[in-house]
Amino acid sequence: MEHSKSSRKVTVEYTDPSGIYAIISEDLQTHFPLRNLYWNSATRPLRSIPSLHIELVQAASPPASFDPSGHNKSVALNGAAGNTDDPDTLRGSRSESGVGGKKGRRHQIPGLRQTPYLKIFFLGCSDVESYKTTYRKQIREWIKQNTPPAQNTASFSTQEFHDAFEWLIVHVVLPDDGRSISRASATGKSESRNGLAGSAAVTEKVRADFNGSSKTAVDRVALVQITRGSQTSQTQASSEGWEDFVSKTKSLILSSFDLRVTQYEEDIKEKDAQRNIPGWNFNTFFVLKEGLARGFESVGLVEDALTGYRELALGLNSIIEKKNGKEQHEEQFKDFTDDLSAILKSALQSEKPQNVRERETITANTVTPDGQAKRDLDMLGANVLDADRKPFRDLILANEISVFDFQCYLFAREATLLLRLANASDPFDGSKKASVKVASTSAPSDSQDLLLLAEVCRRSVEFFSAAGRLMRDDLRSSVHPLAKSHTTTSPTLLSIFEGPIEDMVASWTYAACQCILDATNVRSIQAQLEPLLRNLTPTEDLYDNSNTSTSLPSREELPRRTSSLPLRAQLSPRPSSPVNVPAVTSLNAARLLPPTSSQAGTQELAAQQAELVLLKRRVIASLGRRSNNARIKRIALAGPLSLTESEMEEISLDKPLPSSNRTERLQETHHGDAVNSIHGKTLSHILRSKSTYDDAYKDFTIVALALNVVGGRRRFAESLTVDLAAIRYLVHDYSIAASYFYQLAFFYHNNDWTRLELPMLDLYAKCLKHLDKRQDFCRTGLQILARSTSRQLFDTHAESNHHLSSNDIRHYLHDVISISWSLEQPLSTPLHLHFDSVYVDPYIQHFDEQDGFQLSLKLRNAMSAAIEAQEIRVKLLSINDEQPYDIWLVTKGSELLQTGISNVKLQSTVMCPAWYKLEKIEIQSANVVFTHDATVPTEDAPRGSPSISEGVLSESTPILVWPDEKALEAQLSLSKSIHLGKPRSIEISVLSGRNQISHGKVTVRACSAGLRLHTAEADLINGACQILEKSQAGSLNFSGIDSRTKTTFQMPYDIESDLSEIKIKVVITYTVEGQEYHYHYAGELPVRLPLSVNVQDSFQEQSLFSQFKIATASSIPLRISEYTMHSTSAFNVTLRALGSNPLTIFARQPLSLVAKVRHSRSTTAKARTWPSADRNLMLRIRYACLDHEVINAVEDALSKALAESEFTELSRLLVTTLSKTLRSKLTFRDYETIGLLGEFQLSSFGHHMWRSDNSSICLPQEVDSRSALELLVPFEIPEMPIVVTGRLNLLNCHGGAGEGIFAAIDQLLLAELSLSYSRYWATTTEVVPDGDLLTITYEVQASPEAWLIGGQCRGHFHAKVT
């Protein structure tokens, strides 16, 4: 049987009677492989063959009539007379080739034959005479013996097309012939046969003799010239000759291939149609169809070959299913594999215990091992890709192959073809055995198809799982033919062999996985694995970089663990307690590593390689679980749900393991004796001790984890960390185990794997407790309590699947609370994870004898133990404020929160009337704070559970905080008396209510830009207390205030910018009976005056008339109750007094006042000197804004009605609310109506029926003192140096006494203009010397539409100053 590698090349047989192959071999090999072939079949689409590899084999012997004398010049040229075989390209002839005399007997199954596609005759003749006398006869005899019957006889059978081939005569011209071959002779297009000589003539003669005379005859003669030197003509002729040779070789090979494929397809179709005929044999059909697949493979059509093998695999599976169903005769397959049976029996005979050997009764039914049965078990699966390790095809044809071997052969062929498509290295090149170390890669990774390599790994994982089951059945059948029938075989004896059988399956699977990993190893994945493995592998477990290897170990290197991946750990035992704990980088960092290779298929290949590594890990895990070493078994059985110390049991290695029945003892004894020989050297070394097993299991897990990260399977990679953590925990390496358990808990939490998250947190907390990391332990313990609580609340099956008992939860709660006292900083945890049914009453409750308020908090302790809270706090945040304010409510003392519902009262001594929303709840126990922030959504709540905000308080439900009727109250207003020439002030009124205040403090803060409050100039304007301290900016301290009194402080202010209103916050801090209280109030005060005053002066000779125009600055009417202007020592003022009733002015109806001012002294020159203060006059206006009067009237009416009702306690709330409502509802037109009518119409107040008695509220006749305001407007008498008075006297108009002057329209009126001047209003301060002349200019003006003025309208005159 030929090696399978020969199927990768097309066989070309050559005959070299002249002995010139050694000379032309180098030039010939430069033209191989053939490139760019195209096969066009009638039944298939066009196929492209990029490269076609040629295998040249020499015929058996040259013709007997050949005489080499005189034709050995070529040998002498190269000095190799006896060397005619090239070891790299030359092979001996096959028996079926039929070369040399008698043709060999053909095999009856075409699929087993491997015959040449082309036969070449090398002709080394340089003259025509030699050709005619010697070579022509040789060629004719060669053609007769080697060509198909269709070409030399009349009889022809279609069976010959299975071995169809073509033939070609190659005339080789050597350099010593001294002749040049023209282009015409090289191409066979000669113009004159008589003109050719030498070698060219020989070529033409050969064409004439053997090409045929028909027009469609194929040219089977090629001329090749061997050149020496660099002559251009010879080089060109040689190049053209080689091109002609390559072209004819391509054409003839494809012609032979097409004939073979056609014949194979016809035969396969015929055999397949006979499938249901009795006697049909699948094995014969398999060999036939595989011949077609090998033909496709030989010409490079690997995809077509793969298709054929896949169809055969499906057919084999169908036959096996029928065999298992007893629908087919079992003679096609053997029941077991001979070499597997030999290995098993050899191991049992050498390692069998005495008690088993005495009882063995099945020797007659087992296969007797021959002398070659004892082979290295490590190589049993290491050569899984070698399809030539057995004569599989001969065994198939002879029906002597087992199902296991058949499946292994098919897998090897398919995997080899896939590796060839992927441009991967051939793990078995035929010249090396499986035990020889294989290089990691032979082709650059960039040229390899990683997707196809991933497909190889994927198929390998699927096949190894199925092959393991086949191998078990095979070995059981080798132990006894009826092993599957328990009716005739003792179960005790069968159980004895189960252990060795499982060991053999494990060894085979382990070695086979390693073989695939070696075959698919690429550099691109290694480059990405190195940083990951460095981060995930402890430093003391790493190889030195110079010792990393990716190949299989040789026999001399065993025993050591093998891996196809770099950075493997050594098998030397690690110190049990290392001084420096190795750092382990979290998988979060590994996840952020950028990919170092953009080659397509990198992730797919890495993911599939990870499956193979995990399969190797499962192998050693299965062996570890059956090991007699208790420590190894403990590691193999370790899992995330079984690593609690209560469930772990120490097993003494000195005492025998207890066994309840004899069968288990026999099996365990046998397994302990035969384990080393069955496992092989590699696995035996891994199972030698706990340290080696620990290292191997850990390394496989790390490599699989890193491969999954590279393969993009991050979640699966993180789930592998549980195995590493379990091993670290068992060996008391708590630092690294804690790192792994933390990552796992985080991973399971993000993926809602709560049943696995809780065990990981439990183990993580235990590691932290061993490491004495108190803060981390408390944090993790709180997480455990939270997860346990959530499962109790929302998991209906929590009791049956809970990892922690109620007692464990109580212990965790006790440990966390007790350890937290030693923490430097408080530890915060979400409240909703430990408490539920939390409810805050939105309605406040006032105290009977003190200020402040309280709220009720209800909650349920969902933990399984009571907890003592040193303090419970609730924070309220004001709403609808530019600068929100918060209030904290706390418990008076510690509270014991029992399991179940608890009702807690929280109180506050701070009063800031406003609407609030719940912002935060805090429960502090020791140094642990259970907190809930209503402004942050709850992200840690279990999915499907109600949010805590639904149970606590909806954000849309505000809480109204307001003071009691008897509590302290603060009021803020502008000063009631405003002097336009002095700084303005604000007034802060404190109404003590029921409080007997011992001392207190007023703190003010400006909330408007540019506002400055001068607290140092503050003064007490009302009240009996005293200001104790006001030097501190923004505050002033005062002494005691009696109950039910009003105290008013006045504080000046100034503003640096034009503001319409100012914002001020006031905090009253007061102490009553040793308890400190706080009252907060914020107000907005309008800075602009509600009225405006304009003055216009008109001078007469001895009188001054000042006209004052008083109007509203806004659209709200004003009521003027009084206005006065007092005389001074220099001037007498006359002003008409206001009546007894207030005067209402509107926006369009201002008030106009005229004041007459005269000197109070004689106008002598000496008396004209007046003090500046005497020239200043003051207009005093008392008024009230109509909106203030309306609000005060409504408040008085509502307060009176509430005092007589059951809602007395709500009076401050209702009155304040009504005032704000009225201010927002009333419009300017409403105020004008009220000002005109003097009464106010109220709206309905619903079912309280308050409107029925107070539907109309009249304004008071007099301005109320609460609403009365005062404005002082200072003005100064202007100084006039001279006053000129002009009068017009009509001369021709007459009228009666007391009657006016009448004139007709268009009547000419004569008038006399009289001008007089006076220095009556001048002062002595003006320097105008007496006797000087002043020039006075005058002009008469009138409306041109009403008057036509004639005469001199403009003039001047001189006046003498006196």
Side-chain angles (χ1 to χ4, degrees):
M1 179 69 64
E2 292 292 332
H3 193 274
S4 62
K5 188 178 180 181
S6 62
S7 62
R8 300 185 180 184
K9 299 181 180 180
V10 171
T11 303
V12 176
E13 183 183 278
Y14 69 91
T15 300
D16 184 20
S18 303
I20 62 174
Y21 177 78
I23 301 174
I24 68 171
S25 61
E26 292 186 5
D27 291 340
L28 186 63
Q29 292 301 323
T30 59
H31 296 84
F32 293 154
L34 303 177
R35 305 287 182 181
N36 301 325
L37 287 80
Y38 298 94
W39 175 54
N40 192 5
S41 175
T43 59
R44 297 174 182 269
L46 180 65
R47 293 287 196 269
S48 174
I49 304 175
S51 62
L52 182 62
H53 295 268
I54 302 298
E55 181 182 16
L56 288 173
V57 296
Q58 189 175 11
S61 60
S65 60
F66 171 66
D67 183 8
S69 60
H71 301 282
N72 289 334
K73 297 180 180 180
S74 60
V75 178
L77 287 174
N78 292 287
N83 184 15
T84 59
D85 295 338
D86 189 347
D88 296 330
T89 60
L90 182 60
R91 290 194 177 187
S93 63
R94 295 168 175 80
S95 61
E96 63 266 26
S97 64
V99 179
K102 186 178 179 179
K103 184 179 293 188
R105 178 177 177 272
R106 296 182 182 275
H107 200 285
Q108 63 177 348
I109 304 300
L112 287 176
R113 292 196 296 267
Q114 186 169 354
T115 55
Y117 284 73
L118 178 64
K119 295 185 178 182
I120 300 177
F121 187 92
F122 288 113
L123 176 61
C125 180
S126 59
D127 59 277
V128 178
E129 293 299 328
S130 298
Y131 165 73
K132 290 180 179 181
T133 58
T134 305
Y135 290 101
R136 181 162 56 185
K137 182 178 179 181
Q138 292 179 2
I139 295 174
R140 186 176 291 111
E141 189 67 23
W142 175 78
I143 293 175
K144 181 179 179 180
Q145 293 179 0
N146 295 284
T147 55
Q151 300 179 16
N152 57 12
T153 63
S155 62
F156 175 72
S157 174
T158 56
Q159 186 72 13
E160 296 295 334
F161 279 133
H162 287 294
D163 302 322
F165 65 90
E166 294 289 348
W167 56 272
L168 179 65
I169 302 173
V170 181
H171 183 202
V172 181
V173 180
L174 301 178
D176 287 351
D177 292 342
R179 297 188 177 106
S180 175
I181 308 301
S182 65
R183 178 180 179 84
S185 62
T187 59
K189 299 180 180 179
S190 176
E191 298 179 0
S192 174
R193 295 178 59 86
N194 297 327
L196 296 177
S199 299
V202 172
T203 304
E204 291 297 326
K205 190 64 176 176
V206 174
R207 286 197 178 102
D209 291 340
F210 299 104
N211 266 348
S213 58
S214 64
K215 295 182 178 180
T216 60
V218 180
D219 186 7
R220 301 178 183 276
V221 180
L223 175 62
V224 176
Q225 181 180 3
I226 306 301
T227 61
R228 174 183 293 176
S230 59
Q231 297 182 8
T232 304
S233 60
Q234 293 183 1
T235 304
Q236 182 178 2
S238 176
S239 177
E240 292 174 353
W242 281 112
E243 290 178 1
D244 180 59
F245 167 74
V246 171
S247 176
K248 291 177 179 178
T249 302
K250 291 180 181 180
S251 176
L252 295 174
I253 289 176
L254 290 178
S255 176
S256 303
F257 175 71
D258 187 66
L259 290 174
R260 295 190 181 197
V261 170
T262 303
Q263 186 60 48
Y264 268 108
E265 289 179 341
E266 292 178 358
D267 292 348
I268 291 171
K269 184 177 181 181
E270 178 184 356
K271 296 295 183 184
D272 190 45
Q274 302 172 359
R275 183 181 294 268
N276 295 326
I277 299 177
W280 185 84
N281 188 280
F282 174 78
N283 294 344
T284 305
F285 175 76
F286 177 88
V287 174
L288 176 62
K289 192 167 184 177
E290 191 193 16
L292 177 61
R294 284 177 172 268
F296 284 128
E297 182 185 6
S298 65
V299 297
L301 298 177
V302 184
E303 293 89 346
D304 295 88
L306 266 175
T307 302
Y309 277 108
R310 289 169 184 171
E311 294 173 355
L312 289 173
L314 292 175
L316 177 61
N317 292 334
S318 176
I319 294 297
I320 294 174
E321 291 177 0
K322 292 180 180 180
K323 175 179 178 293
N324 295 333
K326 304 302 180 183
E327 299 180 8
Q328 186 80 5
H329 294 291
E330 300 184 5
E331 288 77 8
Q332 297 186 30
F333 308 106
K334 290 189 62 175
D335 291 335
F336 55 87
T337 306
D338 293 338
D339 51 356
L340 293 181
S341 176
I343 294 175
L344 176 62
K345 187 172 183 181
S346 176
L348 293 177
Q349 291 293 342
S350 60
E351 303 290 343
K352 189 183 306 176
Q354 183 65 28
N355 57 351
V356 177
R357 188 178 307 170
E358 292 174 355
R359 295 176 177 270
E360 186 179 31
T361 59
I362 60 172
T363 307
N365 294 325
T366 51
V367 177
T368 302
D370 54 13
Q372 308 250 330
K374 215 140 159 118
R375 60 180 65 181
D376 190 3
L377 191 61
D378 284 328
M379 306 314 298
L380 187 61
N383 55 4
V384 68
L385 293 179
D386 187 5
D388 295 326
R389 65 181 184 272
K390 287 184 183 181
F392 286 108
R393 303 184 74 196
D394 291 341
L395 295 174
I396 293 173
L397 194 59
N399 296 330
E400 291 293 331
I401 190 168
S402 65
V403 175
F404 175 75
D405 270 351
F406 212 144
Q407 293 282 19
C408 288
Y409 174 69
L410 270 176
F411 170 75
R413 293 296 298 136
E414 291 187 51
T416 302
L417 292 176
L418 286 172
L419 290 174
R420 180 179 175 184
L421 276 178
N423 197 24
S425 60
D426 184 7
F428 302 99
D429 58 1
S431 61
K432 300 178 182 180
K433 300 299 180 183
S435 61
V436 181
K437 182 182 294 187
V438 182
S440 61
T441 52
S442 62
S445 58
D446 293 340
S447 64
Q448 297 178 358
D449 191 337
L450 302 189
L451 289 174
L452 289 177
L453 293 180
E455 178 67 13
V456 173
C457 295
R458 186 190 65 81
R459 293 193 181 194
S460 300
V461 174
E462 295 178 356
F463 171 73
F464 294 157
S465 300
R469 294 189 293 271
L470 290 175
M471 191 174 180
R472 290 185 185 92
D473 295 339
D474 191 296
L475 290 171
R476 289 165 185 160
S477 299
S478 67
V479 173
H480 196 282
L482 302 177
K484 299 179 182 179
S485 175
H486 296 284
T487 59
T488 59
T489 304
S490 173
T492 302
L493 294 177
L494 287 177
S495 63
I496 293 174
F497 294 102
E498 284 301 318
I501 289 175
E502 292 297 329
D503 294 339
M504 288 188 64
V505 174
S507 299
W508 180 87
T509 305
Y510 184 92
C513 290
Q514 184 61 50
C515 178
I516 299 301
L517 287 173
D518 287 335
T520 58
N521 189 23
V522 293
R523 299 189 185 96
S524 59
I525 294 182
Q526 291 182 9
Q528 298 185 67
L529 285 179
E530 289 179 0
L532 288 175
L533 293 177
R534 280 196 297 268
N535 290 334
L536 295 173
T537 306
T539 54
E540 74 271 11
D541 287 348
L542 292 178
Y543 268 133
D544 185 77
N545 291 334
S546 61
N547 295 331
T548 58
S549 175
T550 60
S551 61
L552 288 171
S554 62
R555 291 179 179 272
E556 292 76 16
E557 294 174 334
L558 291 174
R560 67 184 294 185
R561 281 179 294 141
T562 60
S563 173
S564 63
L565 301 167
L567 299 177
R568 297 167 298 171
Q570 295 180 356
L571 291 177
S572 57
R574 298 187 300 105
S576 57
S577 300
V579 178
N580 296 322
V581 178
V584 178
T585 303
S586 68
L587 289 175
N588 294 330
R591 186 185 296 107
L592 300 177
L593 288 177
T596 58
S597 174
S598 59
Q599 188 175 359
T602 301
Q603 288 190 345
E604 289 79 2
L605 177 57
Q608 295 304 324
Q609 285 183 341
E611 294 294 335
L612 287 171
V613 175
L614 289 176
L615 184 56
K616 293 177 62 177
R617 194 190 69 165
R618 285 196 293 271
V619 168
I620 66 171
S622 64
L623 295 175
R625 285 191 292 269
R626 293 183 292 106
S627 175
N628 285 341
N629 190 324
R631 294 189 180 93
I632 294 179
K633 182 181 292 187
R634 184 180 182 185
I635 296 174
L637 293 174
L641 300 179
S642 62
L643 290 184
T644 56
E645 296 180 359
S646 60
E647 297 176 354
M648 302 306 295
E649 180 183 2
E650 292 293 337
I651 301 176
S652 176
L653 300 180
D654 299 329
K655 299 180 181 180
L657 294 175
S659 180
S660 59
N661 56 72
R662 189 171 184 178
T663 302
E664 293 179 358
R665 289 197 299 269
L666 290 175
Q667 183 177 354
E668 291 171 0
T669 305
H670 170 76
H671 186 269
D673 295 335
V675 61
N676 290 333
S677 61
I678 297 296
H679 289 161
K681 294 183 179 180
T682 304
L683 290 178
S684 298
H685 181 76
I686 291 177
L687 297 173
R688 184 183 63 182
S689 64
K690 174 183 173 295
S691 176
T692 56
Y693 186 87
D694 177 19
D695 289 340
Y697 192 91
K698 176 196 61 181
D699 291 343
F700 286 147
T701 305
I702 289 176
V703 172
L705 188 151
L707 281 170
N708 277 292
V709 172
V710 176
R713 301 163 64 180
R714 307 294 171 83
R715 292 188 176 182
F716 189 77
E718 292 184 7
S719 65
L720 289 174
T721 316
V722 66
D723 302 307
L724 297 179
I727 298 298
R728 292 297 183 183
Y729 185 85
L730 289 175
V731 299
H732 306 295
D733 196 350
Y734 298 114
S735 178
I736 298 180
S739 175
Y740 284 135
F741 284 129
Y742 171 77
Q743 300 172 50
L744 289 167
F746 181 79
F747 169 69
Y748 293 142
H749 173 72
N750 289 340
N751 292 276
D752 285 339
W753 294 353
T754 55
R755 296 186 185 277
L756 294 177
E757 179 191 6
L758 189 57
M760 294 300 102
L761 287 175
D762 183 23
L763 294 169
Y764 177 55
K766 291 178 179 178
C767 293
L768 294 176
K769 195 171 184 179
H770 284 291
L771 296 172
D772 196 25
K773 295 185 177 181
R774 301 187 176 185
Q775 185 169 3
D776 293 336
F777 172 77
C778 292
R779 185 181 293 108
T780 306
L782 291 173
Q783 293 180 2
I784 293 173
L785 294 173
R787 300 299 181 265
S788 302
T789 302
S790 64
R791 292 192 63 188
Q792 289 178 351
L793 293 175
F794 307 110
D795 192 352
T796 58
H797 303 285
E799 293 297 331
S800 60
N801 296 305
H802 212 288
H803 181 72
L804 297 178
S805 62
S806 299
N807 192 27
D808 294 334
I809 296 176
R810 284 192 292 271
H811 284 307
Y812 263 117
L813 181 60
H814 176 268
D815 292 344
V816 169
I817 298 301
S818 59
I819 294 177
S820 67
W821 285 110
S822 61
L823 301 180
E824 297 180 357
Q825 298 294 332
L827 188 61
S828 178
T829 181
L831 175 70
H832 68 274
L833 299 179
H834 309 273
F835 298 88
D836 69 326
S837 302
V838 183
Y839 177 75
V840 177
D841 190 357
Y843 305 104
I844 66 172
Q845 302 174 8
H846 293 98
F847 298 102
D848 295 334
E849 301 296 333
Q850 67 180 38
D851 290 356
F853 66 98
Q854 60 182 354
L855 277 177
S856 295
L857 171 65
K858 294 181 180 180
L859 74 164
R860 188 176 79 89
N861 181 6
M863 295 178 287
S864 302
I867 181 173
E868 183 181 1
Q870 279 72 37
E871 189 177 54
I872 301 177
R873 301 182 292 269
V874 171
K875 181 181 179 182
L876 303 180
L877 183 67
S878 63
I879 56 179
N880 301 326
D881 288 342
E882 295 181 359
Q883 297 179 350
Y885 182 78
D886 58 82
I887 297 178
W888 282 95
L889 293 94
V890 298
T891 54
K892 194 171 184 180
S894 61
E895 295 282 345
L896 182 62
L897 302 178
Q898 297 286 352
T899 302
I901 300 295
S902 299
N903 193 354
V904 181
K905 293 289 186 179
L906 303 104
Q907 60 185 16
S908 174
T909 58
V910 177
M911 175 57 64
C912 180
W915 287 96
Y916 289 84
K917 64 179 180 180
L918 178 67
E919 183 185 23
K920 188 176 292 186
I921 301 175
E922 291 183 356
I923 300 176
Q924 184 169 0
S925 177
N927 235 355
V928 178
V929 180
F930 302 91
T931 179
H932 166 67
D933 193 344
T935 61
V936 179
T938 56
E939 299 179 353
D940 295 332
R943 297 186 182 180
S945 62
S947 175
I948 189 173
S949 60
E950 299 176 4
V952 177
L953 191 65
S954 176
E955 295 182 0
S956 60
T957 305
I959 300 176
L960 179 61
V961 176
W962 48 280
D964 188 12
E965 175 66 20
K966 301 178 182 179
L968 180 139
E969 182 182 4
Q971 298 176 352
L972 180 66
S973 64
L974 292 174
S975 178
K976 293 185 177 298
S977 178
I978 298 178
H979 192 293
L980 295 182
K982 296 181 180 179
R984 300 186 185 184
S985 302
I986 61 171
E987 294 180 359
I988 302 174
S989 300
V990 179
L991 287 77
S992 61
R994 60 170 169 247
N995 301 290
Q996 185 70 31
I997 302 174
S998 59
H999 61 277
K1001 181 175 69 172
V1002 177
T1003 304
V1004 293
R1005 183 166 65 92
C1007 300
S1008 299
L1011 174 63
R1012 292 185 178 181
L1013 299 172
H1014 304 286
T1015 55
E1017 301 176 9
D1019 195 8
L1020 178 68
I1021 61 175
N1022 183 28
C1025 72
Q1026 297 180 357
I1027 298 178
L1028 303 177
E1029 177 66 32
K1030 58 181 180 180
S1031 60
Q1032 186 177 0
S1035 64
L1036 56 91
N1037 298 330
F1038 58 88
S1039 61
I1041 300 178
D1042 294 335
S1043 61
R1044 296 178 178 84
T1045 59
K1046 181 178 181 180
T1047 304
T1048 303
F1049 300 95
Q1050 189 178 53
M1051 187 178 300
Y1053 74 92
D1054 59 54
I1055 53 178
E1056 298 178 352
S1057 59
D1058 187 13
L1059 299 175
S1060 59
E1061 61 183 16
I1062 57 177
K1063 298 179 181 180
I1064 300 174
K1065 285 189 176 182
V1066 180
V1067 179
I1068 309 297
T1069 304
Y1070 58 101
T1071 302
V1072 178
E1073 297 180 357
Q1075 178 67 45
E1076 187 175 80
Y1077 299 89
H1078 303 270
Y1079 186 91
H1080 296 254
Y1081 180 78
E1084 297 180 0
L1085 303 178
V1087 177
R1088 296 177 181 176
L1089 295 176
L1091 78 166
S1092 62
V1093 179
N1094 294 322
V1095 59
Q1096 185 177 1
D1097 295 330
S1098 177
F1099 285 91
Q1100 298 293 330
E1101 290 183 0
Q1102 296 184 359
S1103 300
L1104 171 64
F1105 295 91
S1106 296
Q1107 183 179 7
F1108 296 92
K1109 187 176 182 180
I1110 303 174
T1112 62
S1114 62
S1115 298
I1116 298 178
L1118 301 175
R1119 293 214 303 170
I1120 307 297
S1121 61
E1122 182 183 1
Y1123 52 84
T1124 57
M1125 182 180 295
H1126 298 286
S1127 302
T1128 64
S1129 60
F1131 298 97
N1132 292 324
V1133 179
T1134 304
L1135 180 64
R1136 181 181 176 182
L1138 186 65
S1140 58
N1141 294 327
L1143 180 63
T1144 304
I1145 60 176
F1146 300 91
R1148 298 181 181 180
Q1149 295 180 354
L1151 175 63
S1152 180
L1153 302 176
V1154 177
K1156 182 178 180 181
V1157 181
R1158 294 178 60 87
H1159 286 297
S1160 60
R1161 301 177 182 178
S1162 61
T1163 57
T1164 61
K1166 184 181 294 185
R1168 287 185 298 173
T1169 302
W1170 298 307
S1172 59
D1174 293 340
R1175 300 183 62 87
N1176 294 331
L1177 300 179
M1178 183 74 66
L1179 176 63
R1180 178 176 174 270
I1181 304 174
R1182 289 178 58 87
Y1183 67 97
C1185 297
L1186 190 60
D1187 57 343
H1188 292 172
E1189 289 189 292
V1190 171
I1191 297 300
N1192 290 335
V1194 173
E1195 289 180 352
D1196 293 342
L1198 180 59
S1199 298
K1200 181 179 178 181
L1202 291 174
E1204 300 174 355
S1205 67
E1206 57 183 349
F1207 303 106
T1208 305
E1209 297 179 355
L1210 303 176
S1211 59
R1212 286 183 66 172
L1213 172 63
L1214 296 178
V1215 169
T1216 304
T1217 303
L1218 180 60
S1219 300
K1220 292 182 179 179
T1221 303
L1222 288 177
R1223 291 182 186 274
S1224 62
K1225 297 295 183 180
L1226 293 178
T1227 62
F1228 297 138
R1229 181 168 295 183
D1230 294 333
Y1231 285 119
E1232 289 181 354
T1233 303
I1234 295 172
L1236 291 173
L1237 300 178
E1239 61 180 13
F1240 173 54
Q1241 299 292 332
L1242 286 178
S1243 300
S1244 175
F1245 282 84
H1247 62 278
H1248 298 294
M1249 300 303 294
W1250 184 62
R1251 179 179 178 276
S1252 60
D1253 299 331
N1254 299 276
S1255 60
S1256 178
I1257 299 178
C1258 298
L1259 296 178
Q1261 294 295 330
E1262 300 293 335
V1263 176
D1264 189 5
S1265 60
R1266 294 178 301 170
S1267 305
L1269 300 175
E1270 184 180 59
L1271 179 64
L1272 301 177
V1273 183
F1275 66 95
E1276 183 180 3
I1277 301 297
E1279 298 181 2
M1280 299 297 294
I1282 187 170
V1283 176
V1284 179
T1285 305
R1287 296 183 178 86
L1288 283 176
N1289 299 320
L1290 297 179
L1291 301 178
N1292 57 348
C1293 291
H1294 303 281
E1299 299 179 356
I1301 299 175
F1302 299 94
I1305 297 176
D1306 294 335
Q1307 179 181 352
L1308 180 64
L1309 298 178
L1310 297 177
E1312 180 183 14
L1313 176 62
S1314 300
L1315 297 176
S1316 62
Y1317 65 95
S1318 173
R1319 298 191 64 194
Y1320 183 80
W1321 298 100
T1323 62
T1324 57
T1325 58
E1326 185 175 356
V1327 181
V1328 179
D1330 292 340
D1332 290 349
L1333 294 178
L1334 296 177
T1335 302
I1336 300 175
T1337 302
Y1338 68 91
E1339 181 179 3
V1340 179
Q1341 296 179 349
S1343 174
E1345 298 179 355
W1347 298 94
L1348 180 62
I1349 300 176
Q1352 186 178 358
C1353 297
R1354 179 180 300 177
H1356 66 275
F1357 64 92
H1358 298 283
K1360 184 176 181 181
V1361 177
T1362 59

